[in-house]
Amino acid sequence: MKFALMFIITLFLSLSNLGAEDFTKTATVKPELVQKGAQKDWCPVCGMKLGMFYKTSHASKIQNNKDRQYCSIRCLVVDMQEYDINLDDVKVVDVKSQKLIDASSAFYVVGSDVPGTMTKVSKLAFADKKAAEDFSDEHGGKIVDFKTALKMAQDSLSSDIAMVQNKKEKKMYPMGKKIFEKKCKQDIDINAYLEINELKAAIKEQNFCGELKEPELQALSLYLWEVKRFGDVKNSNEYIKVSKDEKCPICGMFVYKYPKWAAQIFYGEKHYSFDGVKDMMKYYFDHKENISKMLVSDYYSQKAIDASKAYYVIGSDVYGPMGHELIPFKNESEAKTFSMDHKGTKILKFEEITSEEVYKLDE
């Protein structure tokens, strides 16, 4: 089984050396990893190990100057759909020195015989034009600047996602499911994590599934994050339903990625979805008229509850997708328990929530 796993995931991760026997995307020096915490080793978008795809790695900054590092320019493009990323802040690994450099000044070799990372067409960056030319002479491909390489990644994103998704559905998800059922504790709280790399770090650090090789860990994490996490929600009418194209009207993030924090405001048949109560309340204060229903996700059960009847804890040490949050509970006793466990500073009823309290959470 382990041999089959290695073969399947090697195929999925595009590690084949055909036509590029003398080149590896894996770091051959200690990689520069800019993310913080135990999850720093993995891409927050796809979960792949950064050291294995280091020579295609990119890095950026998002809200609150938080560092993000990706396995590829493709995953950077995915993040750009959700976050307002300043392209001047983007870094890329220089293939030759294996150091992070400004992407804006890099020379990209596009379409060489080196397999792409999460894409059909590889994009490798160099600090020095001569180094890029030498690589192109040996491995093929054309030399372009960062903006051109980025545009190519954006243009091919749909087809690249479809290609990778097909591989995941055929190979990765079934393999991950087998690992979960045979090796793992069945009560893993998937929704306790905001990103797939956080989940991977927890599985490894907390020994949820025993000793796993990186390919096994990747297959398992993909299954849990992309299949099981949404399967329970899809099969129950008790949870808030969010489609994949719904963005929070306040922060612009895709809400479906954060089912534990989902909230909604309904105006008759029309509704808006939010990735947390904080953003929902910001919208509510400016759009109070003609509301027919408001739903929030109970923190413990994750079931949809009436926002007007919930109790909200603020000032706790638990963070949502947008940082400090108003954390909802169906009853006051559970709110008090949570507040004591997580250093909450105040419990509010819906009618006690003020604009001042909400915006103070961003400070």
Side-chain angles (χ1 to χ4, degrees):
M1 177 179 172
K2 287 186 177 180
F3 176 79
L5 254 177
M6 290 295 292
F7 174 78
I8 289 166
I9 295 176
T10 297
L11 176 65
F12 167 65
L13 299 179
S14 301
L15 280 175
S16 170
N17 286 326
L18 294 176
E21 291 86 354
D22 58 342
F23 183 82
T24 175
K25 289 181 279 185
T26 302
T28 56
V29 299
K30 184 178 180 180
E32 289 186 49
L33 302 177
V34 301
Q35 297 178 121
K36 302 294 188 292
Q39 67 268 25
K40 68 180 181 180
D41 289 329
W42 297 282
C43 176
V45 174
C46 70
M48 298 213 296
K49 194 170 180 68
L50 295 173
M52 293 175 66
F53 302 90
Y54 184 62
K55 292 177 186 175
T56 56
S57 180
H58 287 65
S60 74
K61 291 184 181 294
I62 57 171
Q63 289 99 327
N64 301 319
N65 215 33
K66 182 179 179 181
D67 290 308
R68 306 266 283 182
Q69 191 163 0
Y70 317 97
C71 67
S72 61
I73 194 171
R74 177 267 194 190
C75 286
L76 166 65
V77 168
V78 172
D79 238 16
M80 286 172 61
Q81 295 182 326
E82 189 158 340
Y83 299 105
D84 183 17
I85 293 174
N86 185 343
L87 295 183
D88 291 334
D89 292 333
V90 175
K91 305 287 186 182
V92 63
V93 171
D94 167 36
V95 169
K96 190 170 183 180
S97 69
Q98 297 186 54
K99 295 183 181 296
L100 285 169
I101 61 172
D102 290 334
S104 59
S105 63
F107 299 90
Y108 281 75
V109 176
V110 176
S112 71
D113 60 9
V114 176
T117 304
M118 301 296 285
T119 179
K120 295 176 183 177
V121 179
S122 62
K123 300 168 186 69
L124 296 152
F126 297 82
D128 179 66
K129 187 175 183 180
K130 179 64 165 57
E133 290 172 342
D134 290 344
F135 184 89
S136 179
D137 289 342
E138 184 175 355
H139 295 280
K142 64 179 181 179
I143 299 173
V144 301
D145 60 14
F146 170 55
K147 287 187 177 180
T148 302
L150 185 69
K151 179 66 164 55
M152 294 174 72
Q154 291 170 324
D155 290 345
S156 67
L157 183 61
S158 295
S159 61
D160 287 336
I161 288 175
M163 174 192 71
V164 172
Q165 187 63 29
N166 182 56
K167 292 179 180 179
K168 287 192 287 190
E169 290 177 357
K170 286 185 176 180
K171 305 291 185 181
M172 301 294 282
Y173 295 156
M175 196 64 69
K177 183 178 181 181
K178 287 182 181 179
I179 294 169
F180 175 68
E181 292 174 346
K182 290 184 178 181
K183 294 188 174 185
C184 300
K185 298 175 182 177
Q186 299 299 297
D187 60 349
I188 299 174
D189 183 5
I190 307 167
N191 288 312
Y193 310 99
L194 296 178
E195 309 278 5
I196 188 172
N197 59 351
E198 292 181 16
L199 173 63
K200 286 189 77 170
I203 291 171
K204 188 170 184 178
E205 285 197 332
Q206 299 181 41
N207 202 32
F208 287 146
C209 307
E211 288 294 323
L212 295 175
K213 302 288 188 182
E214 177 60 30
E216 294 177 302
L217 180 59
Q218 177 67 5
L220 170 64
S221 299
L222 284 171
Y223 166 69
L224 292 177
W225 193 250
E226 298 183 2
V227 180
K228 186 168 176 57
R229 183 167 68 118
F230 298 113
D232 294 340
V233 174
K234 289 177 182 176
N235 294 330
S236 174
N237 292 321
E238 297 180 311
Y239 301 91
I240 290 177
K241 300 291 194 303
V242 180
S243 62
K244 285 195 172 185
D245 61 349
E246 289 187 73
K247 286 187 175 183
C248 173
I250 298 298
C251 69
M253 291 170 64
F254 286 104
V255 178
Y256 84 93
K257 293 185 176 182
Y258 311 101
K260 182 171 185 172
W261 302 94
Q264 290 178 328
I265 298 179
F266 289 79
Y267 299 87
E269 295 184 0
K270 186 176 182 179
H271 76 271
Y272 295 92
S273 296
F274 307 85
D275 55 354
V277 175
K278 180 172 66 176
D279 278 0
M280 181 190 76
M281 294 307 298
K282 289 178 181 179
Y283 191 87
Y284 165 78
F285 289 130
D286 292 329
H287 305 85
K288 290 184 178 181
E289 294 183 5
N290 302 317
I291 292 176
S292 56
K293 181 170 61 175
M294 294 178 68
L295 298 175
V296 295
S297 299
D298 174 68
Y299 182 80
Y300 284 136
S301 70
Q302 292 159 46
K303 293 180 180 179
I305 56 176
D306 186 337
S308 66
K309 297 178 181 178
Y311 293 82
Y312 301 86
V313 176
I314 62 173
S316 76
D317 57 7
V318 173
Y319 293 80
M322 295 301 293
H324 291 289
E325 264 294 352
L326 295 105
I327 302 185
F329 297 87
K330 64 182 178 182
N331 58 56
E332 189 175 14
S333 63
E334 291 185 349
K336 287 180 177 178
T337 298
F338 174 88
S339 185
M340 287 188 291
D341 290 342
H342 295 281
K343 304 175 184 177
T345 58
K346 196 180 294 186
I347 297 174
L348 301 173
K349 294 181 180 179
F350 180 82
E351 60 270 18
E352 295 172 332
I353 300 173
T354 65
S355 176
E356 182 182 7
E357 291 277 14
V358 170
Y359 282 94
K360 192 183 296 183
L361 293 171
D362 289 330
E363 295 177 357

